[in-house]
Structure formats: structure tokens, C-alpha cells
Amino acid sequence: MENIRNFCIIAHIDHGKSTLADRLLEYTKTVVGADMQAQVLDDMDLERERGITIKSHAIQMDYTLNGQKYVLNLIDTPGHVDFSYEVSRSIAACEGALLVVDATQGIQAQTISNLYQAINNDLEIIPVMNKMDMPSAMPEEVEDQIVELVGCKRDDIIRASGKTGEGVPEILQAIVERIPHPVGDPKAPLQCLIFDSVFNSFRGIIAYFKVVNGEIHQGDLVKFVATGKEYDADEIGVLRLDMEPRQKLCTGDVGYIISGIKTSREVKVGDTITHIERPCDKAIDGFEEVKPMVFAGIYPIDTDDYEDLRASIEKLQLNDASLTFQPESSLALGFGFRCGFLGLLHMEIIQERLDREFNQAVITTVPNVPYKAFTKKGEVIEVHTPSALPEPTVIDHVEEPYIKAQVITKSEYIGPIMTLCLSKRGTLQRQTYLTSDRVELEYDMPLAEIVFDFYDKLKSISRGYASFDYYPIAYRPSNLAKMDILLNGEKVDALSTLTFYDNAVTIGRKMCVKLKELIPRQQFEVAIQAAIGAKIIARETIKPVRKDVTAKCYGGDISRKRKLLEKQKEGKKRMKQVGNVEVPQKAFLAVLKLDE
């Protein structure tokens, strides 16, 4: 156990942690020859295309220092704010962390939030300054920022480059010397913490775990504490580039277990594995429950695919524990699921993965956040969909979730960023200068305002320099209204939204204009209306496709033409009563991008 080190890499998005992980694997000869490629640990096509890490990945390395052999278990983590739950799970399975900071950009918002998570879990922090080979590196300034943030000595900071491999030997030596070995009792009853799981269509569900106490042998009878299910440990082993079976795993080891589990409900991330004969007294404290930030409906395009979609989402949930879902139905779209996501990028990634990995073509409704409606009788109703909001006559008041938003930016962009935050109903709480030209702004904002396009706008007005992080603080009273979209007087429930009352007219007008562009013309006139209750706040009309019925009437009396036009008018009226308007999939997605 003295020769095991478990560590993770934490950083802001794009600070080069995947490249640095590649160099560590290359230096320790864990990955050689044809297997060596850029972003080795990012095994999803999506991760490679976008250049971001979505999943945390575990891999074991062998390293020799002063003639002594060590086993290093690295758990790579994502850097984007939407995948912070992955980070919290990785941190729970480690004793130390490499804090990677980009020497050209310095400390960013996500660096700070991930660092606080690591410190709360008593992890040993090794600061690493990456991208030292870049001409625009600012080592002295960034060192000052790290010293101020972490409170370490300047000599503790390792200068490195993921591209050239500079500083990699020093990092490996620091991991062995500074990070403590796992502590646990090898003789105690078995306790393993599950920190991840994946679905394999041939082997069933594979759970990744860390042995906290005791040891586990192949063929042991084990029990999953949270679900109470019992299994045989058919195969256990360690995670190299591929899975390598072992006869036993001891305290401090990180590995996997295959026990023929078929259904995803039987494995919970954060659960404890123990022996049936000699069980542990209590389960290990897992991680906090995931709190979804954004909710949206996911529906199959063909209603017959409902059960396939359920199976696909369940398999995806195994691989991504931060996804939550429950069945729901909609008048317009039939049966589907109300899913909870950590953010818009997370929602986009899930949609892509359903399409690529499971061939599921889906319709996604307008995302929204959870509200609390207080009735006049004193009841509290949690509202996830606009249709679930009670009638205005019953409601006393509605509360919406607020977040604490941290924006770190160069001082030249303060003006436009403040304007953006104010337009999103933000109130400035604090403004701190980290250095002469870097400033941290802290805002209290409604979560609903950042759900759509806040992050994109922030990046564009700051030319990509501003970094953003947020965490929920409380629910606060708000003046909300439910806005419906009517097509020829009929509600399209999938397009209903809950919106701030003062913004309703603007949003309603934009939605009507957008739908007018996207809904194809019919044989009859189509009225698109936005309404709050019985009050119409915006309207657009799609003109009918017309045939010139009077073309054959040349000359002659006007009354003959009038008769034909009246006849056509009656026909259109009848058609309008029986005709229904199909809303194309593009229209549901376009509502999210109203400003473009």
C-alpha cells in the first residue's frame, strides 16, 4: 500500500490536462507504439472532435524511483463547468491532485472551483504551470497568482509543457514524494467505493471502484450495499489502456469488477461493495447527490421507439451519473422523458450521444429550470414544465433558483460584461482585482437567465478571455408568467415557456417571428400567437398558398369573379377547421437561438 499513489488532474477547460496526461503515460511506458495518439484517454469521437474531456478516465501506470517500484493511478477529469459532477467523483477516489494552470492564461474560474472541491476533500495539491513552451507564456505573473491562490512556495510550482514533455520527470517524482499513500486497514471487512460504471453489450455492466479497506479476490461473493443485491465477482482487475484481470485487489487499489449485472438500476455511483460473509458496518460516504440545473423533455420522433429510448437513456445514465430522467407525456409529442442536465453543453452532448451511440433520433423541448410555486393554501409545488404551473388564481407567489456567478476577465472587458449581466437580471455583489489587469466579478443571477446563451455571449464579447463558473445559492420570489404559443387558436404545449413577466412581450414577439419563418405555408391562413393566460401579447400571420381561381374569367361581369373568390374563401375556411399545422423539428430548436 505504501507504493500506491492515487491522483487526479484538475484544471480549467483547454489548459492542456489531456496532453499532459499523454506525456505521463508516454514517460512511464504505459502506452507505447501505435497506441500512442493525441488525447489517449479521450476515447469518445465527440471528445476528440470538440477537443474537450466529457468523461473522467482512470488508468494505472508503473513508475520506478530510486530503485523502488510504484503504482500510480491517474484519474483524468473534465474541465467544463457542465461536467463538475465527474470531477467530484474523481476527487473522492484520490489522495492528491495535479492543479494544472495555463501559463498563457493564468488562473480561471473553473480552476478555482475545482481546487476548492479538492481542498474540501483534503487532497494534497501539486501546482503545475503548463504550456511553458508557448511564446506568450507569463511565468512570473502566473506564479504569483498560484502562490496567492494555493498558498504554496514558489519552489513547489512545477514548470511543464504537455507538448514538449518538459517537467514530466519532476511531476512524477513530486507525485511519489508529496502525495500520501492510501490509508486503510487490509485486515478489515471489505469496503470499496464505486466511482464510475460503463455498459458493455457483451459483458454487462462494469463498475469501477477504489478499495478503501480489506481486499477482494476473484470469485468472491459480494454485495452492493445501496441496492442490497448480491453477486459473484466473476472478474476483477486493474485499468490499464485495456482492462487487465487480476486474482486479487488490495487496500488502496483502483480497479474494475464484472459480475454479470444486466440492468442499470442495480449499480449506483457512490455505492459501497462489501463481502456477504463478512460485511462492513456501514457504507462509505459517497458523493453528494447530483443537482440538475436544466430540465428538458426528450421525445422519440416515432412514438413506437419509446421503449428503445428508455433503454438507451438508462445505459447512458450508467456512463454519466449526472443525467436524471423520469417519464412524461405531451399532447403534441406523445410519450417521452423529462431529463435533468447540469447545463446546456451537457444537454447537447447527451443528445449527440443518443444519436451516435444508440441511433436514437429525438426531439428536445425548450429547456427550463425548476421553480417552486406557493399556493394560497400554503402548499409548495415543484414545477419542471410550464404545463405543471397551477392557474394564476391559485398561486400566491413563485420562486426561482438563483446562482452565484463568478466571472474572471481582463479589465478591458468589464464594461460589456457588466452590461450583459445586468440584462440578465444580475446584481453585482463583489468586484476584486486579482492582478493589475485581471478582475473577478461576482453576481447573483437567476439560473433561468444563463440557461440559454449566456456562456456563448460572454465568450464572444470577451474574445474568449472571460471564464465563468457558478453554483446554486437559494430560491427567491420572482414575477413569472407562463407563455403559450397558439397555432390557429390551439396550444402547442412543447413550445410553452415560463418567462420573466417584463421580458414576455419581447420573447413572445421573437418566437412568433421565428416560427413564421420556419413553419411551411399551408393552403389556409395560419395565425401564430403568443399568449399569457387569455391575453394575446404577440401575433404573426402566415399567408395561405393561393391559386388564382379567376384566371379563366377574362372580361365579363365582376360579380362572376366575386362568386368564385367567395367560393374559394368558404373552402379555405372549411380547410382551416379541419387542417392541422405540422411544426417542424427545426422550430423546436430555433426557439433556443432567438437572438441569432
Side-chain angles (χ1 to χ4, degrees):
M1 199 163 69
E2 279 72 29
N3 292 1
I4 297 174
R5 300 287 183 273
N6 298 324
F7 70 101
C8 58
I9 303 182
I10 52 177
H12 187 78
I13 189 167
D14 268 349
H15 278 203
K17 62 195 164 312
S18 295
T19 316
L20 195 63
D22 289 352
R23 295 294 82 76
L24 294 173
L25 296 174
E26 199 172 38
Y27 189 85
T28 55
K29 297 192 170 48
T30 308
V31 182
V32 288
D35 291 333
M36 192 65 225
Q37 52 177 342
Q39 291 173 266
V40 173
L41 295 178
D42 293 348
D43 51 10
M44 259 188 264
D45 293 344
L46 261 176
E47 292 180 312
R48 296 183 171 285
E49 282 167 26
R50 291 171 177 249
I52 57 174
T53 304
I54 294 166
K55 280 288 301 161
S56 60
H57 297 271
I59 193 163
Q60 191 181 85
M61 302 179 272
D62 293 324
Y63 174 62
T64 308
L65 181 68
N66 305 331
Q68 186 79 11
K69 282 192 171 178
Y70 293 92
V71 172
L72 311 181
N73 288 310
L74 155 66
I75 302 177
D76 184 25
T77 62
H80 194 281
V81 61
D82 278 13
F83 304 110
S84 52
Y85 188 62
E86 289 281 332
V87 181
S88 74
R89 288 159 41 192
S90 302
I91 286 172
C94 294
E95 281 80 38
L98 295 182
L99 177 74
V100 177
V101 180
D102 187 333
T104 63
Q105 293 186 25
I107 302 260
Q108 306 272 291
Q110 198 59 34
T111 320
I112 296 173
S113 90
N114 287 348
L115 174 71
Y116 287 159
Q117 256 186 333
I119 290 172
N120 288 344
N121 280 21
D122 294 331
L123 265 60
E124 179 64 37
I125 307 292
I126 300 176
V128 176
M129 196 156 53
N130 196 18
K131 303 194 186 179
M132 285 301 296
D133 58 310
M134 300 281 277
S136 55
M138 316 171 289
E140 306 306 324
E141 285 177 44
V142 177
E143 261 185 10
D144 290 343
Q145 292 174 24
I146 295 173
V147 168
E148 199 173 314
L149 180 71
V150 184
C152 60
K153 300 190 186 75
R154 276 180 177 274
D155 303 345
D156 293 345
I157 301 168
I158 300 169
R159 296 187 174 197
S161 162
K163 196 173 276 181
T164 63
E166 175 195 340
V168 169
E170 289 87 347
I171 292 173
L172 288 163
Q173 193 175 335
I175 289 167
V176 170
E177 290 172 356
R178 295 195 217 166
I179 293 177
H181 61 76
V183 285
D185 183 355
K187 301 279 187 287
L190 176 70
Q191 266 188 321
C192 304
L193 173 73
I194 299 178
F195 65 87
D196 206 352
S197 58
V198 291
F199 178 79
N200 182 307
S201 44
F202 302 108
R203 317 279 316 258
I205 289 154
I206 303 168
Y208 297 161
F209 63 87
K210 175 192 175 187
V211 185
V212 179
N213 288 313
E215 53 184 46
I216 181 170
H217 297 256
Q218 186 181 345
D220 281 356
L221 276 168
V222 294
K223 176 180 171 185
F224 286 41
V225 177
T227 56
K229 302 276 187 185
E230 300 176 358
Y231 306 100
D232 288 319
D234 298 335
E235 185 185 306
I236 57 169
V238 294
L239 298 152
R240 308 291 273 211
L241 194 56
D242 295 313
M243 294 186 289
E244 283 186 13
R246 293 275 193 273
Q247 286 305 308
K248 72 167 185 174
L249 293 175
C250 309
T251 307
D253 278 330
V254 172
Y256 69 91
I257 178 169
I258 300 175
S259 46
I261 305 169
K262 295 287 183 290
T263 56
S264 50
R265 289 188 207 90
E266 293 175 25
V267 176
K268 282 194 164 57
V269 168
D271 194 0
T272 304
I273 304 175
T274 187
H275 279 133
I276 291 172
E277 290 171 10
R278 201 171 150 226
C280 55
D281 306 333
K282 64 179 195 333
I284 307 164
D285 294 333
F287 344 101
E288 73 245 38
E289 276 292 299
V290 57
K291 295 186 195 76
M293 293 287 211
V294 176
F295 289 87
I298 287 186
Y299 294 86
I301 285 179
D302 185 349
T303 44
D304 296 344
D305 295 339
Y306 176 72
E307 284 305 325
D308 293 347
L309 181 62
R310 178 196 288 275
S312 303
I313 294 179
E314 279 179 359
K315 286 172 189 168
L316 202 52
Q317 191 183 32
L318 264 181
N319 200 247
D320 183 350
S322 50
L323 170 68
T324 58
F325 72 95
Q326 61 194 61
E328 72 162 5
S329 62
S330 144
L331 292 172
L333 302 169
F335 289 103
F337 298 95
R338 163 96 348 207
C339 298
F341 308 97
L342 296 183
L344 267 198
L345 177 69
H346 187 212
M347 174 176 141
E348 204 179 307
I349 295 291
I350 293 291
Q351 221 175 321
E352 280 268 297
R353 288 183 71 183
L354 280 171
D355 184 24
R356 289 185 187 202
E357 295 171 31
F358 302 99
N359 289 328
Q360 291 289 334
V362 293
I363 293 174
T364 313
T365 62
V366 182
N368 55 28
V369 298
Y371 297 97
K372 284 182 180 169
F374 291 79
T375 62
K376 288 175 180 169
K377 290 180 183 172
E379 299 166 334
V380 182
I381 301 165
E382 190 151 299
V383 179
H384 293 296
T385 56
S387 55
L389 190 74
E391 288 301 311
T393 49
V394 184
I395 298 174
D396 181 47
H397 68 281
V398 179
E399 291 187 356
E400 64 176 330
Y402 267 70
I403 54 157
K404 179 81 70 191
Q406 286 171 312
V407 179
I408 295 180
T409 179
K410 288 195 164 183
S411 45
E412 62 202 80
Y413 303 118
I414 290 182
I417 288 173
M418 283 186 158
T419 311
L420 172 68
C421 293
L422 284 171
S423 72
K424 299 285 185 188
R425 296 190 283 143
T427 48
L428 182 66
Q429 300 299 317
R430 212 179 60 194
Q431 181 176 339
T432 319
Y433 276 85
L434 303 171
T435 62
S436 57
D437 69 335
R438 282 167 65 75
V439 66
E440 181 186 359
L441 302 169
E442 207 171 87
Y443 275 88
D444 282 4
M445 295 169 83
L447 177 60
E449 294 288 345
I450 69 153
V451 161
F452 288 119
D453 51 5
F454 178 79
Y455 192 64
D456 297 342
K457 283 185 175 172
L458 181 71
K459 282 290 180 196
S460 61
I461 60 178
S462 66
R463 304 207 182 132
Y465 276 110
S467 63
F468 170 67
D469 187 34
Y470 64 88
Y471 56 90
I473 42 175
Y475 276 81
R476 295 182 185 171
S478 177
N479 187 9
L480 285 175
K482 177 189 169 193
M483 186 173 73
D484 294 309
I485 297 292
L486 309 163
L487 290 181
N488 280 346
E490 282 188 30
K491 285 182 189 175
V492 181
D493 62 343
L495 290 172
S496 297
T497 51
L498 290 170
T499 175
F500 187 58
Y501 198 87
D502 297 1
N503 302 344
V505 175
T506 319
I507 293 172
R509 204 165 284 149
K510 281 183 182 173
M511 280 175 88
C512 289
V513 171
K514 200 82 178 175
L515 288 169
K516 184 181 177 180
E517 290 168 22
L518 293 166
I519 293 173
R521 286 173 75 183
Q522 311 287 329
Q523 294 274 325
F524 49 89
E525 185 180 273
V526 178
I528 304 168
Q529 294 166 309
I532 293 178
K535 184 183 174 189
I536 304 293
I537 55 171
R539 173 181 169 133
E540 290 289 332
T541 307
I542 300 175
K543 293 281 183 270
V545 181
R546 303 198 61 160
K547 180 184 174 188
D548 189 359
V549 287
T550 60
K552 59 181 184 286
C553 304
Y554 45 89
D557 188 7
I558 185 74
S559 60
R560 211 166 139 223
K561 288 185 181 177
R562 182 70 36 78
K563 189 176 162 191
L564 282 168
L565 288 169
E566 287 296 327
K567 196 173 170 188
Q568 186 189 38
K569 195 173 169 187
E570 284 299 314
K572 298 257 183 214
K573 206 170 176 183
R574 267 202 312 279
M575 209 184 278
K576 189 174 179 177
Q577 284 166 357
V578 296
N580 58 351
V581 184
E582 287 291 317
V583 183
Q585 163 71 5
K586 279 191 301 191
F588 292 108
L589 300 176
V591 174
L592 313 185
K593 303 188 175 80
L594 285 175
D595 290 351
E596 289 177 13

